[in-house]
Amino acid sequence: MLSTATCRTLSSFASFAFKPLDRVLVAKKRGALLPRHKTFPSNTSSQHFATPRPFSTRKDLSIKMSKPQVLLLGEIDHAHEAWSSLSSIADIIEPKARSREEFLKECKAGAFDKVIVSYRTFQSVAITGLIDEELIAALPKNLKFIAHNGAGYDQIDVHACTKHDIRVSNVPTAVDDATADTNMFLILGALRGFNTSILALRNGHWKGSPPPPLGHDPQGKVLGILGMGGIGRNLMKKATAFGMTTQYYNRAKLSDELSGGAKYVGFDELLATSDVLSLNLPLNKQTRHIISTKEFAKMKKGIVITNTARGAVMDEDALVKALESGQVWSAGLDVFEEEPKVHPGLVANPNVLLVPHMGTWTVETQTKMEVWCIDNVRSAVEQGVLKSPVGEQKDT
Ligand SMILES: O=C(O)C(=O)CO
């Protein structure tokens, strides 16, 4: 197995390659992006590419080109083999920058001018900051693809990417089981009120004195799923196995096959009739604080809420108040509005089960996510398309 560093060294040795004309033709036909810095002879017309030469002359026409570059923003921690294999089709580079300011400077100095696709991780935001209009405008013109390693891509302004002709992919499906497992853990833990007794035991008081209030069983409870994408649907199956009845609200009603027996209800009905509400929708302008004071008031008193999506889909100040008033009995949270900061009102409340964004934090899932994201990079380099474009760009 090659380390990333070894792979980089090997790929820099191979930075110039002869690209047979027929591969060039296929790539061109599929719209694959070829580096502009070293393209074809200036007298080459599009007709020239459309008409393959007889095989005997192709060799003479082979064009010496450097490989396209792939910019790695973040780390590859697991899928080293899949990552190393990219070096046969692209040169992999990394930024020297350790801050957004430095990254913007590197962009402007032309350090990434040969890059056509960037692989980025959620954590790389610590270096680049958000992929917003300012950053996108500073990216080199050749960079046409951003392969994001994660299901949620709220760190990326997709609208600005579309404007600058940059395609974005995310990692759906591979995250579903691990995130839904975490979600189920939070539902069970919050229903049973386990956090109070866990704290008491760790403080040397066994169950505590007085003992914690009795919890609730999942069996027979109505689980409302807000956002019935891959994770919501996966959760629905798991919750059904625990004896819960499931209902959901989504922008569009799903086919019976996809909804798997969960009842489609309106947004207000979901709030008013669920015993447990699970937030499984992406964060965007429309969903920011979709759950706030007004929505808490519409819920059953004593509801249990879980969130494994993004902190900001729920107004944390409003949640703290709803917990204090008893409108919300308990909550299980994996995500927070200002990670890694956690609202002090949530930390102080023993009825809240808190996990530090661990939804996909398993060896198997992290590996699957990296492999999926690498597949997107490969597909962008080889075919000029992403395997799993984000929803907003699916039709473009
Ligand atoms: O994939 C994502 O978006 C995550 O938040 C992982 O937990």
Side-chain angles (χ1 to χ4, degrees):
M1 206 182 290
L2 294 177
S3 71
T4 311
T6 319
C7 158
R8 271 201 307 277
T9 315
L10 287 175
S11 70
S12 65
F13 275 132
S15 66
F16 279 91
F18 286 96
K19 197 174 181 102
L21 182 59
D22 48 3
R23 256 189 77 193
V24 172
L25 286 167
V26 170
K28 181 86 180 165
K29 201 163 151 210
R30 287 174 176 159
L33 289 154
L34 300 163
R36 287 188 197 152
H37 60 281
K38 208 155 214 212
T39 51
F40 305 98
S42 54
N43 63 353
T44 312
S45 70
S46 56
Q47 182 58 35
H48 178 94
F49 293 108
T51 317
R53 298 286 164 112
F55 186 73
S56 57
T57 62
R58 283 187 194 170
K59 208 170 166 200
D60 310 330
L61 285 171
S62 292
I63 296 160
K64 192 176 184 187
M65 298 176 55
S66 60
K67 281 194 252 176
Q69 288 186 345
V70 171
L71 176 64
L72 173 60
L73 295 175
E75 308 280 331
I76 303 294
D77 290 321
H78 306 277
H80 299 294
E81 216 173 295
W83 184 250
S84 300
S85 74
L86 283 182
S87 61
S88 64
I89 56 163
D91 289 330
I92 290 148
I93 63 167
E94 288 183 51
K96 293 198 177 69
R98 293 292 102 197
S99 67
R100 179 175 173 95
E101 203 190 344
E102 287 172 16
F103 184 75
L104 286 171
K105 262 194 209 149
E106 253 185 300
C107 284
K108 285 171 191 160
F112 312 127
D113 280 359
K114 295 177 193 168
V115 169
I116 66 164
V117 48
S118 173
Y119 173 113
R120 81 175 289 279
T121 65
F122 185 82
Q123 291 77 10
S124 70
V125 76
I127 292 175
T128 63
L130 295 175
I131 311 293
D132 55 12
E133 175 67 51
E134 180 194 33
L135 190 123
I136 293 162
L139 292 174
K141 294 283 166 282
N142 273 332
L143 197 156
K144 293 293 178 198
F145 303 97
I146 296 176
H148 170 69
N149 181 6
Y153 48 91
D154 45 288
Q155 292 174 340
I156 304 174
D157 182 341
V158 175
H159 179 71
C161 284
T162 307
K163 210 172 84 191
H164 289 264
D165 204 18
I166 294 174
R167 309 281 123 191
V168 182
S169 60
N170 70 333
V171 176
T173 316
V175 303
D176 292 354
D177 259 317
T179 311
D181 288 348
T182 305
N183 209 138
M184 205 58 229
F185 166 85
L186 292 172
I187 290 175
L188 295 175
L191 269 171
R192 297 288 297 268
F194 279 150
N195 190 57
T196 317
S197 49
I198 289 170
L199 283 177
L201 180 147
R202 287 209 176 269
N203 288 326
H205 305 303
W206 190 230
K207 280 195 178 71
S209 178
L214 288 173
H216 297 280
D217 294 322
Q219 288 79 20
K221 300 295 181 302
V222 176
L223 169 66
I225 301 175
L226 183 55
M228 196 70 157
I231 297 167
R233 296 198 300 272
N234 191 304
L235 174 66
M236 179 266 295
K237 289 186 196 147
K238 289 177 170 138
T240 305
F242 277 92
M244 301 184 89
T245 302
T246 52
Q247 56 182 11
Y248 71 99
Y249 174 73
N250 209 37
R251 270 175 312 173
K253 187 175 184 296
L254 302 182
S255 67
D256 289 348
E257 195 191 336
L258 274 183
S259 65
K263 183 178 164 202
Y264 183 59
V265 294
F267 180 63
D268 281 354
E269 190 180 343
L270 188 87
L271 301 182
T273 59
S274 299
D275 299 310
V276 178
L277 178 69
S278 174
L279 308 183
N280 298 103
L281 69 177
L283 173 65
N284 53 43
K285 280 188 194 125
Q286 289 74 43
T287 62
R288 179 172 293 275
H289 285 190
I290 194 167
I291 300 298
S292 187
T293 311
K294 192 157 60 75
E295 288 71 33
F296 286 122
K298 292 178 183 169
M299 295 175 193
K300 276 190 182 177
K301 190 165 174 68
I303 192 169
V304 169
I305 297 188
T306 61
N307 189 2
T308 56
R310 283 292 180 267
V313 298
M314 180 154 59
D315 176 347
E316 276 178 1
D317 278 332
L319 173 64
V320 167
K321 290 192 185 104
L323 280 157
E324 281 165 5
S325 73
Q327 177 66 7
V328 174
W329 189 66
S330 67
L333 307 174
D334 181 42
V335 286
F336 304 90
E337 274 201 72
E338 287 180 49
E339 293 176 15
K341 274 196 261 168
V342 182
H343 194 301
L346 296 173
V347 177
N349 192 324
N351 289 340
V352 186
L353 183 55
L354 302 168
V355 179
H357 204 147
M358 303 286 278
T360 57
W361 207 244
T362 70
V363 174
E364 295 81 2
T365 296
Q366 290 291 314
T367 307
K368 276 191 284 179
M369 289 170 73
E370 288 185 357
V371 168
W372 187 296
C373 193
I374 292 167
D375 279 355
N376 268 307
V377 171
R378 178 175 285 282
S379 170
V381 173
E382 290 187 331
Q383 299 175 42
V385 288
L386 292 162
K387 186 179 98 168
S388 53
V390 295
E392 295 89 326
Q393 293 185 336
K394 278 213 167 92
D395 301 327
T396 53

